[in-house]
Amino acid sequence: MSTEAPAEPAQAPARRLLPLIVPSVVVGAAAALVLLGVSLLAEQLKDVLWETLPDALDVGRYSVLWMMVMLTATGVAVGLVVWKVPGHAGPDPATTGLVDPPLPPRLLPGLLLATVLALAGGVSLGPENPITAANIALAYWLGRKAAPRSPAALWMMLAAAGTIGALFGTPVAAALIFSEVLAGRPGPGALWDRLLPPLVAGGTGALTMDLLAHPSFNLSLPDYTGPHWGDLLSALVVASVAAVAGMAAVYAFPYVHGAFSRLGHPMLAIPVGGLVLGLLGALGGHLTLFKGLDEVKTLAADPDGWSAGRFALMAVVKLAALLVAAACGFRGGRIFPAVFAGVALGLCAHALVPQVHPTIGVVCGVLGVLLAVTRQGWISLFTAAVLVSDPAVLPLLVLASVPAWLLVTGRPQMQLHDDGTPIR
């Protein structure tokens, strides 16, 4: 038997990688600018809809009446876009994932308009899916014009990496995701060679967003002093319970989508969905509206500020709102609402059992819900980890992911085939 070490993968020549650096930088920066532009526009419209307008009408900003009116009106506005704007705001969002093949550019105006309206109107969805789809479509269309012989996968990869880097403020998430994708694909050079272009795109997107918007995911939770045996038990239980809660929404998804589909027209399905979201907002309170990133910081700022029952109610309402919004036709992503639900579940665990450290409860709650809703292991681990600035939680997160992943893997996903059956 030979004792020689296995041969190292051949390095891709520098001349193969150098021409990709500039396109990676350009696509990463452009992806961040698209995300920033849509987010700023939605924030400006949100201020008008939820502050200026109710104040002018002498109506409470987050009164039950205003939540019902605004969510229903948002459903009407998005329904009109889906019905009348060319391209109908893209495909049914229940059938799309985070990274999909490029859409035709003519679909993008309607898709982005519907996204801005939903973000501003209080719908429980984030910007990640439609912004990633828009960036992939633009990068593919412009990239193939500039370099007709370039592979489509290159532009998809750069646009997705730039968007993910901008969303999370770091290229690490993009690198982790694409390391999983590229590891199973043959190609020249070492894995790091193939990761270099998306890593550059993700780094540029993150840097552009950091310089212009200074995003922060740190929830400033109470300091975690280090792992104990009780913390391991807490992490395993909270992550598993959160995964089960997330899977309840996943299993309900095709039935809720089918119910809205039977309404037969976007001007029925989406406004009715908006009305249901208004009712859910009235039940859960205004913190359960919108994508949830700002609202989750309010929860984390006072871990003992609500009862266990109230935290549980907000988690259930947010999952229900995510389910309805994704099923009735609103355009948006599911990561940020799932984060809110996970945080609420983690703080519920702390309120029920004070020995559960709030930091452990939060990160493991987020991990479990995200694993169920996204079925993306790296995104789930990374998102949970960036909510705190303490690396001591990482071993617990990794171990907590084991039972949570066993509960969700191989089961239906929160994404449907075109015929309405769930993807596994």
Side-chain angles (χ1 to χ4, degrees):
M1 182 191 302
S2 173
T3 58
E4 294 180 1
E8 292 290 329
Q11 293 290 318
R15 63 178 178 272
R16 187 196 302 272
L17 295 174
L18 282 174
L20 299 177
I21 301 302
V22 172
S24 300
V25 171
V26 172
V27 171
L33 291 175
V34 172
L35 172 62
L36 185 59
V38 169
S39 299
L40 290 177
L41 186 58
E43 283 296 321
Q44 293 295 319
L45 182 57
K46 173 186 172 183
D47 290 343
V48 172
L49 296 179
W50 293 93
E51 296 180 12
T52 305
L53 194 54
D55 289 351
L57 296 174
D58 197 24
V59 178
R61 293 181 176 180
Y62 293 104
S63 63
V64 171
L65 173 63
W66 194 249
M67 285 191 284
M68 298 279 292
V69 168
M70 277 310 310
L71 268 301
T72 305
T74 300
V76 171
V78 174
L80 281 170
V81 172
V82 174
W83 180 28
K84 289 296 188 181
V85 173
H88 306 291
D92 182 353
T95 66
T96 61
L98 182 60
V99 180
D100 286 331
L103 298 174
R106 62 183 178 82
L107 305 185
L108 301 188
L111 176 62
L112 294 177
L113 177 57
T115 301
V116 169
L117 291 171
L119 290 172
V123 176
S124 290
L125 292 172
E128 59 275 13
N129 284 33
I131 298 299
T132 304
N135 283 333
I136 287 174
L138 289 171
Y140 174 77
W141 180 57
L142 295 173
R144 292 301 292 269
K145 283 184 174 295
R149 295 184 179 180
S150 59
L154 170 66
W155 303 108
M156 291 178 57
M157 187 165 55
L158 295 181
T163 308
I164 294 169
L167 278 166
F168 294 100
T170 171
V172 176
L176 291 173
I177 293 168
F178 284 105
S179 67
E180 186 178 71
V181 173
L182 294 173
R185 293 183 180 176
L191 177 61
W192 187 254
D193 293 323
R194 289 180 283 157
L195 271 178
L196 190 62
L199 188 62
V200 171
T204 305
L207 182 60
T208 302
M209 187 62 70
D210 286 341
L211 291 174
L212 296 178
H214 315 292
S216 173
F217 287 87
N218 191 345
L219 298 183
S220 301
L221 288 160
D223 291 337
Y224 180 58
T225 57
H228 305 282
W229 289 113
D231 294 334
L232 176 59
L233 177 61
S234 300
L236 296 172
V237 172
V238 171
S240 300
V241 171
V244 170
M247 284 305 301
V250 172
Y251 274 110
F253 188 54
Y255 299 101
V256 177
H257 180 265
F260 281 109
S261 297
R262 283 191 287 275
L263 294 177
H265 197 283
M267 281 304 294
L268 285 175
I270 304 178
V272 169
L275 175 61
V276 175
L277 292 178
L279 292 169
L280 288 170
L283 177 63
H286 73 276
L287 289 179
T288 60
L289 301 179
F290 305 102
K291 65 182 179 182
L293 187 58
D294 293 329
E295 291 72 21
V296 82
K297 294 179 180 178
T298 302
L299 292 186
D302 189 8
D304 300 310
W306 290 268
S307 66
R310 188 65 187 176
F311 279 127
L313 176 64
M314 286 191 282
V316 170
V317 166
K318 193 65 174 181
L319 282 174
L322 166 60
L323 178 62
V324 170
C328 75
F330 283 110
R331 271 53 177 172
R334 301 158 195 173
I335 293 175
F336 294 118
V339 168
F340 180 99
V343 170
L345 284 172
L347 293 176
C348 173
H350 168 67
L352 282 173
V353 183
Q355 290 79 11
V356 175
H357 196 283
T359 298
I360 297 302
V362 163
V363 297
C364 292
V366 169
L367 173 68
V369 175
L370 280 178
L371 284 174
V373 170
T374 70
R375 216 57 56 86
Q376 292 277 350
W378 281 127
I379 281 183
S380 303
L381 276 168
F382 179 81
T383 304
V386 298
L387 297 179
V388 296
S389 57
D390 192 341
V393 303
L394 290 175
L396 292 174
L397 272 177
V398 171
L399 292 176
S401 71
V402 175
W405 182 254
L406 292 175
L407 287 168
V408 305
T409 186
R411 302 186 187 280
Q413 300 182 34
M414 204 172 194
Q415 184 179 349
L416 306 178
H417 294 289
D418 290 337
D419 63 1
T421 57
I423 293 175
R424 287 183 177 268

